[in-house]
């Protein structure tokens, strides 16, 4: 039981630590890593030195200083440039199958294996 | 020029040989002609030889910068170093297809020599299927992407090879990857032929296993080389970005790895016959669509596809025909025995291999859907979405955790039936012990994500378990090495991901920046003139808190033809971390953008992949 207590304690510690707020520049890095540089080939805004990427970085900085949250910045950019700019695909009506298909397939595969092993 | 003619005509000779050969084989199979093995050997050899001649004539054209040839003109330049003139041969669409063709003809020749002990009818059918693929490639090369077309008037200078491709790792990356892809074509033809000639049994499994391991080794090596290249050449310090072009090489790998496991069940227990055939067909279809998709440009953007309708339509038709043929054969020649399902015991090696296949197919599905979904969505709704690294991380990591644990348990189970009481429970205590160690580690390094911690625990578990098997059991060394390598791979990727530190900012010459417990000093910038580029080399000193100095000299290369700037990172690798520095010029004079990264365990990502490959290699040697 002691074991379990420790494990639960540690898990709580870790979940707690998720709540620490990031400071500004880390947030800029985090957001820009998740944005596609629209004029580059397969590079994020963070990784690119192009004019487009630099202007986006400045824009993010400005938005953060105006007090916008991460989500608000994403939705602003999505409105302006479309879904294409954000790497982290959001779950909505059009992308629900993207997330669901693999999982459905996994469940289906599991059923096949169970059939092979237990029934038949 | 004569050399172009020779190349072109020997290619046409190869095409006609292929057509003739298919008819010849069919006549033999229907009993109209008596089989003469020597004739078959000669035809295969002449075909290989003709492709070899045309390949070497293309290399020769590249070496002497023969600009009457359009392919050479488009991809070469007189000032390019000899090594890259040669590697430029397969650094373009036309040449790379010729290389495909060369490997195809080489492999079928080797296959025929190697399969002497197998039934004749099976060998002949394999030749027929392989020749259909070869014929398709001949037609594709000659009619849509001929590497020997003339250009007139003859230009004085070529357009040059894209400088980021002028790199040793990328020079050998395509041939190695192709060896893997084409190896899967042999597996494909052999499976269809085994189906037709009713030869799916453990004897066949033993024989085809060799080819599965060969292709798997080359495919893994090829993917690794591409990744190493991305790491030091693309200048952002990452090695995998879930880019469509990367994904396309990973998909056949998942499928081939599943096959590599399921073939063992077929060999030992004569089970999973249909499933093994399905995996063989899928692996090849994925490899081929991979090469074509990358080459035709459909992946980067759907619109590139329309730019060259001829090629695109050919690709789709050919793929469609091959898949249709295999599906028809699969259903027509399916026997009772192949489909019959025998129950397998729940706690056995067979079940554990099924579990491996289950996860592999899931990983494949994630990558496949992640890569193709945006294409279909854009065609159907004209909405463009990005599916980037976060998608793959979110879907793959939770499943990777049980996968790692199964990888540790599975190989220790017995074939047919494992007594539940004989399962070693001491490993459970190892697991608990590892949990504690990891939590202490996580506290120290302030790792916040719970998933990451569980991932570390499960890969440590696999690590300890495979080392234990390697030392105490020594029953299956090759498998132990590969699984051990995989645990290190996951561990180093995770630790690298969470412990990497990075400085990114603008610096002037002479400036110093403090970064954690190090000081980055920008010393000087020098310029040199090289064979086909101008080189700008910067010198940085990294001083740590013990006053120890490390010198880093990143480079910018300004190529003259085509006029492109590439940045070469300087990387100092050590046992436990890489120091990676790259710089670029900003518009304002004398100010440079500097990016310095400390990446722990980077070298272990490559070492562990080599270990995985080495495990496969050990098994391959043992087959003979």
């Amino acid at each position: 039981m002691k074991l379990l207590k420790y494990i639960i304690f540690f898990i709580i510690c870790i979940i707690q630590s998720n709540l620490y707020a990031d400071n500004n520049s880390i947030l800029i890095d985090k957001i820009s890593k998740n944005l596609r540089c629209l004029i580059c080939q397969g590079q994020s805004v963070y990784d690119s030195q192009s004019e487009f990427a630099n202007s986006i970085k400045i824009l993010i900085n400005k938005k953060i200083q105006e007090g916008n949250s991460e989500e608000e910045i994403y939705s602003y950019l999505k409105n302006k440039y479309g879904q294409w700019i954000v790497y982290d695909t959001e779950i909505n009506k059009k992308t629900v199958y993207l997330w669901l298909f693999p999982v459905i397939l996994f469940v289906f595969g599991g059923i096949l294996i169970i059939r092979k092993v237990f029934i038949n | 020029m004569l050399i172009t003619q020779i190349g072109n005509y020997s290619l046409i000779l190869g095409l006609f040989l292929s057509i003739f050969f298919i008819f010849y084989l069919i006549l033999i199979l229907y009993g109209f002609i008596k089989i003469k093995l020597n004739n078959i050997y000669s035809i295969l050899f002449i075909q290989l030889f003709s492709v070899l001649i045309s390949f070497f004539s293309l290399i020769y054209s590249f070496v002497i910068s023969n600009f009457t040839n359009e392919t050479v003109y488009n991809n070469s330049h007189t000032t390019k170093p000899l090594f890259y003139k040669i590697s430029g041969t397969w650094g373009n669409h036309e040449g790379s297809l010729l290389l495909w063709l060369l490997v195809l003809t080489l492999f079928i020749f080797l296959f025929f020599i190697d399969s002497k002990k197998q039934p004749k009818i099976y060998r002949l059918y394999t030749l027929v299927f392989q020749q259909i693929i070869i014929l398709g490639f001949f037609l594709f090369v000659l009619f849509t992407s001929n590497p020997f077309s003339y250009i007139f008037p003859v230009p004085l200078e070529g357009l040059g090879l894209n400088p980021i491709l002028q790199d040793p790792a990328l020079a050998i990356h395509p041939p190695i990857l192709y060896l893997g892809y084409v190896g899967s074509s042999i597996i494909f033809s052999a499976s269809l032929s085994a189906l037709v000639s009713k030869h799916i049994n453990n004897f066949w499994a033993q024989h085809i296993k060799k080819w599965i391991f060969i292709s798997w080794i080359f495919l893994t090596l090829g993917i690794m080389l591409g990744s190493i290249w991305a790491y030091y050449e693309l200048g952002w310090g990452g090695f995998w970005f879930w880019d469509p072009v990367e994904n396309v090489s990973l998909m056949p790998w998942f499928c081939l790895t599943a096959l590599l496991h399921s073939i063992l069940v077929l060999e030992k227990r004569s089970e999973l016959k249909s499933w093994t055939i399905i995996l063989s067909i899928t692996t090849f279809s994925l490899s081929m669509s991979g090469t074509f998709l990358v080459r035709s440009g459909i992946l980067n953007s759907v619109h590139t596809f329309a730019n060259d309708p001829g090629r695109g339509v050919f690709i789709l038709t050919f793929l469609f025909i091959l898949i249709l043929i295999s599906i028809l054969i699969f259903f027509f020649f399916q026997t009772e025995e192949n489909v019959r399902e025998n129950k397998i015991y729940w706690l056995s090696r067979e079940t554990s291999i099924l579990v491996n296949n289950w996860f592999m197919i899931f990983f494949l599905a994630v990558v496949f859907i992640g890569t193709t979904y945006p294409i279909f969505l854009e065609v159907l709704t004209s909405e463009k979405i990005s599916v980037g690294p976060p998608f793959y991380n979110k879907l793959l990591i939770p499943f990777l955790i049980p996968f790692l644990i199964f990888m540790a348990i599975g190989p220790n189970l017995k074939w047919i039936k494992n007594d539940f009481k004989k399962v070693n429970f001491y490993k459970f205590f190892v697991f608990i012990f590892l949990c504690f160690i990891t939590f202490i580690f996580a506290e120290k390094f302030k790792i916040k994500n719970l998933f990451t911690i569980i991932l570390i625990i499960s890969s440590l578990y696999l690590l300890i378990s495979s080392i234990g098997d390697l030392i105490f059991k020594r029953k299956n060394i090759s498998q132990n090495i590969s699984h051990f390598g995989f645990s290190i791979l996951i561990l180093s990727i995770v630790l690298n991901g969470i412990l990497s530190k990075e400085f990114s900012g603008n610096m002037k010459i002479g400036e110093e920046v403090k970064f954690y417990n190090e000081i980055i000093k920008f010393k000087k910038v020098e310029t040199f003139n090289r064979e086909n580029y101008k080189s700008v080399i910067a010198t940085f000193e990294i001083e740590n808190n013990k006053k120890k100095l490390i010198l880093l000299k990143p480079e910018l290369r300004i190529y003259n033809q085509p006029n492109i700037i590439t940045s070469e990172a300087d990387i100092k690798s050590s046992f436990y971390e890489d120091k990676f520095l790259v710089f670029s010029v900003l518009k304002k004079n004398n100010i440079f953008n500097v990016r310095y990264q400390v990446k722990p365990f980077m070298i272990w990502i490559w070492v562990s992949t080599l270990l995985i490959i080495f495990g496969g290699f050990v098994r391959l040697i043992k087959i003979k």
Side-chain angles (χ1 to χ4, degrees):
Chain A
M1 269 328 275
K2 234 182 177 180
L3 241 165
L4 203 69
K5 259 188 199 167
Y6 276 117
I7 292 175
I8 290 170
F9 172 72
F10 275 120
I11 292 175
I12 290 171
C13 279
I14 284 139
I15 294 170
Q16 281 288 317
S17 58
N18 275 338
L19 300 175
Y20 290 131
D22 290 314
N23 67 35
N24 251 2
S25 75
I26 293 175
L27 190 59
I28 295 177
D29 286 356
K30 191 182 164 210
I31 295 175
S32 62
K33 270 180 189 166
N34 192 16
L35 295 176
R36 181 192 294 274
C37 166
L38 294 181
I39 59 165
C40 320
Q41 278 262 328
Q43 262 188 326
S44 66
V45 164
Y46 177 79
D47 290 318
S48 172
Q49 291 304 327
S50 64
E51 261 171 56
F52 174 81
N54 287 332
S55 67
I56 292 284
K57 278 178 218 165
I58 293 167
L59 181 78
I60 298 169
N61 193 11
K62 208 180 106 195
K63 287 272 168 194
I64 292 174
Q65 258 148 36
E66 282 170 12
N68 286 304
S69 73
E70 199 181 331
E71 283 312 308
E72 282 166 346
I73 295 173
Y74 285 141
S75 62
Y76 171 80
L77 287 167
K78 275 182 200 166
N79 268 331
K80 203 169 165 192
Y81 299 101
Q83 282 277 327
W84 177 241
I85 196 168
V86 184
Y87 278 124
D88 195 357
T89 329
E90 72 172 33
I91 305 178
N92 59 27
K93 250 189 208 164
K94 276 177 182 158
T95 60
V96 67
Y97 296 107
L98 173 74
W99 294 88
L100 271 184
F101 267 139
V103 179
I104 292 172
L105 202 81
F106 188 76
V107 172
F108 181 68
I111 294 170
L112 281 184
I113 290 182
I114 288 171
R115 225 186 58 149
K116 177 96 181 162
V117 174
F118 291 109
I119 312 160
N120 188 326
Chain B
M1 267 176 86
L2 185 67
I3 195 75
T4 313
Q5 299 279 11
I6 293 175
N8 197 14
Y9 285 115
S10 62
L11 209 56
I12 293 173
L13 172 73
L15 170 75
F16 281 112
L17 265 179
S18 197
I19 298 172
F20 164 74
F21 199 26
I22 293 174
F23 281 111
Y24 180 69
L25 287 168
I26 288 175
L27 287 178
I28 292 177
L29 283 167
Y30 279 91
F32 292 114
I33 311 177
K34 263 200 172 166
I35 175 170
K36 279 187 192 127
L37 281 179
N38 278 343
N39 284 355
I40 294 178
Y41 278 117
S42 339
I43 297 173
L44 282 174
F45 184 73
I46 297 170
Q47 193 178 40
L48 169 63
F49 194 67
S50 67
V51 179
L52 205 63
I53 285 182
S54 88
F55 189 68
F56 274 110
S57 62
L58 187 64
I59 291 187
Y60 183 72
S61 290
F62 266 91
V63 171
I64 62 163
S65 296
N66 169 17
F67 294 127
T68 55
N69 184 324
E70 199 181 336
T71 313
V72 180
Y73 164 72
N74 280 329
N75 300 289
S76 197
H77 192 269
T78 47
T79 59
K80 206 164 64 164
L82 181 66
F83 182 69
Y84 297 119
K85 278 182 185 166
I86 295 173
S87 75
T89 314
W90 52 80
N92 56 77
H93 173 78
E94 288 84 3
S96 74
L97 278 171
L98 194 58
L99 181 66
W100 244 98
L101 210 48
L102 178 66
V103 185
L104 269 172
T105 46
L106 174 72
F107 269 28
I108 189 60
F109 184 65
L110 294 179
F111 173 86
F112 202 66
I113 294 174
D114 178 68
S115 61
K116 276 177 189 153
K117 284 179 191 156
Q118 302 291 322
K120 244 176 221 159
I121 185 161
Y122 157 75
R123 294 172 77 194
L124 292 181
Y125 270 117
T126 311
L127 284 189
V128 175
F129 291 123
Q130 194 67 11
Q131 281 301 326
I132 292 174
I133 298 171
I134 292 176
L135 178 64
F137 270 89
F138 266 120
L139 291 173
F140 187 56
V141 171
L142 279 167
F143 288 104
T144 68
S145 4
N146 195 336
F148 298 106
S149 13
Y150 278 99
I151 186 165
F152 192 83
V154 180
L156 288 174
E157 195 48 279
L159 296 179
L161 177 69
N162 186 348
I164 65 165
L165 303 180
Q166 297 186 24
D167 175 88
L170 212 69
I172 53 168
H173 162 70
I176 302 261
L177 201 61
Y178 283 3
L179 286 173
Y181 281 170
V182 176
S184 78
S185 82
I186 296 276
I187 301 165
F188 169 82
S189 307
S191 319
L192 288 186
S193 146
L195 204 59
V196 173
S197 55
K198 304 198 172 31
H199 182 51
I200 308 175
N201 51 37
N202 39 4
F203 183 48
W204 175 75
Q206 220 175 6
H207 143 83
I208 203 66
K209 203 168 82 175
K210 201 183 307 170
W211 289 95
I212 295 176
F213 273 90
I214 291 174
S215 356
W216 182 82
I217 288 170
F218 282 119
L219 191 58
T220 319
L221 198 63
I223 295 173
M224 185 186 99
L225 285 170
S227 174
I228 291 178
W229 169 78
Y231 173 54
Y232 66 70
E233 181 73 38
L234 292 185
W236 41 268
F239 60 94
W240 197 268
F241 201 63
W242 297 105
D243 184 81
V245 179
E246 296 170 340
N247 290 350
V248 137
S249 69
L250 196 61
M251 286 192 271
W253 188 87
F254 283 133
C255 209
L256 197 59
T257 310
L259 181 60
L260 188 104
H261 288 85
S262 79
I263 198 77
L264 300 175
V265 181
L266 183 58
E267 188 193 358
K268 289 265 157 52
R269 305 266 297 118
S270 288
E271 276 280 333
L272 303 182
K273 288 183 179 173
S274 296
W275 177 237
T276 304
I277 302 295
I278 292 174
L279 282 179
S280 315
I281 295 171
T282 321
T283 307
F284 177 62
S285 313
L286 287 172
S287 316
M288 219 180 69
S289 32
T291 329
F292 278 157
L293 289 179
V294 172
R295 286 290 161 207
S296 67
I298 188 176
L299 275 180
N300 289 333
S301 143
V302 185
H303 308 293
T304 332
F305 186 51
N307 288 343
D308 200 346
R311 266 178 203 168
V313 168
F314 191 100
I315 293 164
L316 282 183
T317 324
F318 187 42
L319 249 179
F320 180 74
I321 290 173
L322 280 183
I323 292 173
L324 191 72
I325 289 179
S326 34
I327 290 175
L328 286 180
I329 289 176
F330 185 77
F331 284 107
F332 273 114
F333 289 90
Q334 198 62 273
T335 56
E336 274 290 297
E337 197 204 350
N338 290 349
V339 204
R340 194 177 60 220
E341 279 189 40
N342 296 315
K343 194 175 167 178
I344 55 178
Y345 188 65
W346 70 275
L347 196 65
S348 64
R349 184 80 69 84
E350 292 90 313
T351 317
S352 74
I353 285 178
L354 273 183
V355 170
N356 157 288
N357 278 207
W358 182 30
F359 279 89
M360 278 297 164
I361 297 301
F362 170 75
F363 297 147
L364 169 65
V366 172
V367 179
F368 183 80
I369 292 167
T371 312
T372 52
Y373 198 86
I375 301 177
F376 284 111
L377 192 71
E378 194 185 349
V379 171
L380 294 175
T381 67
S382 71
E383 188 168 333
K384 248 179 144 185
I385 60 158
S386 280
V387 178
F391 169 78
Y392 296 98
N393 290 342
K394 278 178 195 165
L395 267 184
L396 293 181
I397 290 174
F399 288 85
L400 202 54
I401 292 162
F403 181 68
L404 285 164
I405 293 170
F406 279 124
M407 262 179 95
I409 299 169
N412 287 313
L413 299 176
K414 287 198 180 74
W415 290 102
I416 305 173
K417 186 173 177 177
N418 196 94
D419 200 342
F420 185 67
K421 284 168 195 154
K422 281 186 184 160
V423 178
N424 261 329
F425 287 102
Y426 80 91
K427 279 191 175 165
F428 184 69
F429 294 105
V430 173
F431 194 75
I432 304 265
F433 172 69
L434 287 176
C435 291
F436 269 100
I437 292 196
T438 315
F439 277 122
I440 292 164
F441 173 82
E443 274 298 290
K444 188 165 185 292
F445 286 93
K446 300 192 172 62
I447 301 169
K448 295 166 188 172
N449 195 322
L450 186 62
F451 267 126
T452 320
I453 293 168
I454 302 175
L455 196 60
I456 293 175
I457 296 173
S458 37
S459 41
L460 277 176
Y461 180 59
L462 175 59
L463 184 123
I464 300 231
S465 153
S466 47
I467 288 184
D469 293 347
L470 198 61
I471 295 171
F472 299 116
K473 285 194 176 159
R474 289 209 198 142
K475 263 188 187 164
N476 194 346
I477 297 170
S478 55
Q479 171 265 316
N480 291 339
I481 295 174
S482 287
H483 281 207
F484 173 63
F486 189 75
S487 71
I488 304 217
L489 176 69
I490 298 296
L491 207 57
S492 36
I493 289 175
V494 172
L495 293 179
N496 180 272
I498 51 181
L499 300 178
S500 286
K501 289 179 290 189
E502 172 168 0
F503 164 80
S504 171
N506 297 339
M507 282 176 88
K508 274 188 219 158
I509 298 174
E511 203 178 328
E512 290 181 12
V513 173
K514 200 166 154 37
F515 174 65
Y516 290 89
N517 51 12
E518 294 175 321
I519 299 167
I520 309 167
K521 297 175 180 170
F522 192 168
K523 287 290 179 192
K524 60 182 176 194
V525 172
E526 293 159 299
T527 321
F528 302 95
N529 279 318
R530 295 286 152 88
E531 204 171 344
N532 61 339
Y533 57 86
K534 207 171 96 181
S535 159
V536 182
I537 297 181
T539 308
F540 287 86
E541 273 179 7
I542 310 291
E543 188 184 308
N544 66 7
N545 49 5
K546 288 171 198 143
K547 297 280 173 203
K548 217 180 130 195
L549 285 180
I550 294 170
L551 220 59
L552 286 168
K553 293 186 165 184
E555 182 186 354
L556 281 178
R557 290 183 181 169
I558 304 157
Y559 283 84
N560 46 18
Q561 191 61 37
N563 194 353
I564 291 177
I565 300 176
T566 70
S567 57
E568 312 281 312
D570 194 17
I571 304 165
K572 286 275 178 306
S573 295
S574 73
F575 192 69
Y576 59 94
E577 67 182 17
D578 271 20
K579 292 183 191 301
F580 178 103
L581 203 146
V582 66
F583 81 119
S584 56
V585 189
L586 292 181
K587 272 190 180 158
K588 289 174 236 157
N589 257 348
N590 292 327
I591 296 182
F592 296 87
N593 186 277
V594 177
R595 209 158 158 201
Y596 172 64
Q597 288 173 299
V598 180
K599 304 181 80 68
F601 305 108
M602 201 61 210
I603 205 159
W604 290 100
I605 295 176
W606 319 127
V607 173
S608 60
T609 315
L610 284 175
L611 266 177
I612 297 174
I613 296 169
F614 180 68
F617 186 69
V618 170
R619 176 56 78 90
L620 181 67
I621 293 170
K622 278 208 264 173
I623 295 174
K624 288 178 181 172

